[in-house]
Amino acid sequence: MAEDIPRPRTAGFFNNEKLISIFLDADKKFMRRALALAGKGLGRTSPNPAVGAVIVRKGKIIASGYHRKAGENHAEVEALAKLGGKAERGDTLYVTLEPCNHYGRTPPCTRAILESGIKSLVVGMADPNPTVAGGGCEFLSQKGVDVRIGVLESKCRRLNDWFLKFSKTGHPFVVAKSALTLDGWTATSMGHARWITNERSRQVVHQMRDSLDAVMVGVGTVVADDPLLTTRLKKSGGRDPARIIVDTHLRIPVHARVLNHRSESETFIAFGEGVSEEKLEAVKGEGVSPLCCPTKDGRVDLKSLMAILGDMGISSLLVEGGATLMASMIGDRLIDKFCVFQSPKILGGGDGIPMVSGKGPKRMDGCIRLKDVEIKLLGEDILLEGYPDYPG
């Protein structure tokens, strides 16, 4: 898909179409590097966005940085620090997100940019936060910095899709993950699902856990599979997300591994009103916190749960199943992105466990269509990613 990039505001020298094309190709090249750096911060910067920056001098990158963790230097400041805080005439700063122009845990990046002497700034996307939207670029432009905005904007937005939602709504961005056979089943009739996908696909799932704040399953998945819900990356081990178990009546087994493993991240059990103190005491323990939630139709009200998780600072959430929880999340239109892995295996029967339980629409025009779809080949497996366009 072609990027919608505004032409730079420059003098007549660049009116030549070929020169403009070269100019924009260079912008894309350096912004791609900034995006790659930004990706390193995913899962560590929340509730702040993941941001990368590079400084270019005479066509070469001379310094770079990314936002490593909430409370630490922003990408622009880290890159400028490698130059002693000072740039030379002609240097250009590329950054994936509009520089901040307000005091938070750190001073505004706009101040560091002005003090460095940078006179050329290329930005991937505007800051979507409604309290600061447009402030950084406008301020720098008024101070004489040449600002170009919108380079690889769609890629920058996709990288921080979770931040776009959380900054506007205060609710977590929800990613639904499922693994299917070619004929559409997530498990056999006996609940056996290990393994539908290959090792490469499973490593991608662990990368997703590493980059999102929390992972959520229903108690049925805990009873059937007894998962750890930790991150197990081959090279680095990874960072464990918080674990959310939706368990209206608190029937989780006290010996479940998700309650009894060592992890720096906490396990939260979302239960409904009316659960006995005896059950609550049985599941309480180090790193385990019950969350009492409103109920709807006899089950945890998932919309209320999303608000509770947002108030806890959880900005992104990976839903891994099962079919009942997935149906409820889809029914309440709480899924923001689907990541569906499909393996070239055929179960060959009509009694497997589907991705989503319950009744579907009577007509195909009632289906949920996915937009902005990306398809990736993972060995023999296929990963399809897309954003739902809910009907009606």
Side-chain angles (χ1 to χ4, degrees):
M1 182 173 63
E3 299 293 337
D4 183 15
I5 304 174
R7 292 188 176 183
R9 301 189 305 267
T10 51
F13 174 75
F14 283 109
N15 287 339
N16 181 285
E17 290 292 330
K18 186 174 181 179
L19 287 175
I20 291 175
S21 177
I22 293 171
F23 190 87
L24 294 178
D25 285 346
D27 279 354
K28 291 180 183 180
K29 171 186 172 182
F30 296 126
M31 191 60 73
R32 287 191 187 97
R33 178 55 185 158
L35 277 165
L37 288 166
K40 293 183 177 183
L42 285 171
R44 279 78 180 161
T45 64
S46 179
N48 295 339
V51 183
V54 298
I55 300 172
V56 174
R57 179 180 297 167
K58 297 180 180 179
K60 294 183 179 181
I61 295 174
I62 58 169
S64 63
Y66 67 96
H67 187 32
R68 297 172 183 269
K69 186 178 179 182
E72 295 188 3
N73 283 340
H74 290 184
E76 307 94 311
V77 173
E78 182 176 278
L80 288 167
K82 294 176 180 177
L83 300 180
K86 296 296 180 182
E88 291 185 4
R89 183 179 179 85
D91 290 353
T92 300
L93 171 63
Y94 290 80
V95 62
T96 56
L97 181 71
E98 179 177 12
C100 64
N101 192 38
H102 64 283
Y103 281 87
R105 294 189 188 182
T106 58
C109 292
T110 50
R111 187 178 75 177
I113 292 170
L114 287 177
E115 291 176 351
S116 74
I118 286 282
K119 292 297 182 183
S120 179
L121 173 68
V122 180
V123 177
M125 61 172 284
D127 192 328
N129 191 324
T131 63
V132 300
C137 287
E138 182 179 357
F139 174 77
L140 290 170
S141 182
Q142 291 174 350
K143 295 293 183 179
V145 177
D146 179 58
V147 179
R148 302 194 299 279
I149 189 167
V151 175
L152 297 186
E153 181 176 3
S154 65
K155 294 185 183 298
C156 293
R157 293 179 68 87
R158 195 172 185 117
L159 178 76
N160 280 307
D161 47 15
W162 57 275
F163 177 71
L164 295 175
K165 179 183 179 182
F166 187 70
S167 63
K168 291 181 180 179
T169 69
H171 291 186
F173 182 86
V174 181
V175 180
K177 166 261 170 185
S178 191
L180 305 175
T181 62
L182 196 59
D183 49 348
W185 303 109
T186 64
T188 68
S189 60
M190 300 297 291
H192 189 262
R194 295 184 181 176
W195 295 105
I196 290 176
T197 54
N198 61 26
E199 175 63 24
R200 187 171 172 186
S201 292
R202 297 197 295 275
Q203 278 294 294
V204 171
V205 174
H206 285 287
Q207 290 170 0
M208 293 167 68
R209 290 181 183 177
D210 178 70
S211 66
L212 300 173
D213 287 349
V215 57
M216 185 170 81
V217 298
V219 68
T221 296
V222 176
V223 172
D225 299 338
D226 196 19
L228 281 168
L229 300 179
T230 53
T231 299
R232 299 180 296 281
L233 293 173
K234 284 185 175 180
K235 293 184 179 180
S236 62
R239 161 198 153 276
D240 288 342
R243 292 160 294 280
I244 316 296
I245 313 300
V246 182
D247 185 6
T248 303
H249 305 294
L250 214 57
R251 60 187 183 92
I252 187 170
V254 294
H255 54 77
R257 295 197 298 169
V258 76
L259 302 180
N260 296 284
H261 62 78
R262 295 180 181 178
S263 174
E264 293 182 1
S265 297
E266 198 161 0
T267 297
F268 299 94
I269 308 175
F271 67 95
E273 299 143 332
V275 169
S276 69
E277 285 296 325
E278 183 180 1
K279 284 187 176 181
L280 279 173
E281 289 300 320
V283 299
K284 284 181 180 178
E286 185 177 354
V288 180
S289 297
L291 289 177
C292 186
C293 302
T295 56
K296 179 182 178 182
D297 300 327
R299 293 180 177 175
V300 167
D301 183 351
L302 294 172
K303 289 184 178 180
S304 295
L305 176 58
M306 294 303 106
I308 291 169
L309 296 180
D311 289 342
M312 292 165 53
I314 293 176
S315 62
S316 56
L317 176 67
L318 178 64
V319 177
E320 293 200 22
T324 301
L325 177 61
M326 196 72 75
S328 297
M329 293 291 290
I330 290 174
D332 286 342
R333 300 192 172 193
L334 296 174
I335 304 297
D336 299 299
K337 182 178 182 180
F338 285 91
C339 293
V340 180
F341 296 82
Q342 194 157 37
S343 168
K345 296 177 182 177
I346 298 173
L347 191 59
D351 59 350
I353 297 176
M355 172 180 165
V356 184
S357 65
K359 294 182 178 181
K362 300 294 184 182
R363 293 171 51 89
M364 289 304 295
D365 53 14
C367 289
I368 300 169
R369 295 185 61 88
L370 300 188
K371 57 187 179 181
D372 298 329
V373 170
E374 286 190 1
I375 297 175
K376 301 174 184 177
L377 194 61
L378 302 171
E380 294 182 336
D381 291 350
I382 294 172
L383 169 59
L384 186 148
E385 298 178 302
Y387 300 81
D389 185 8
Y390 292 102

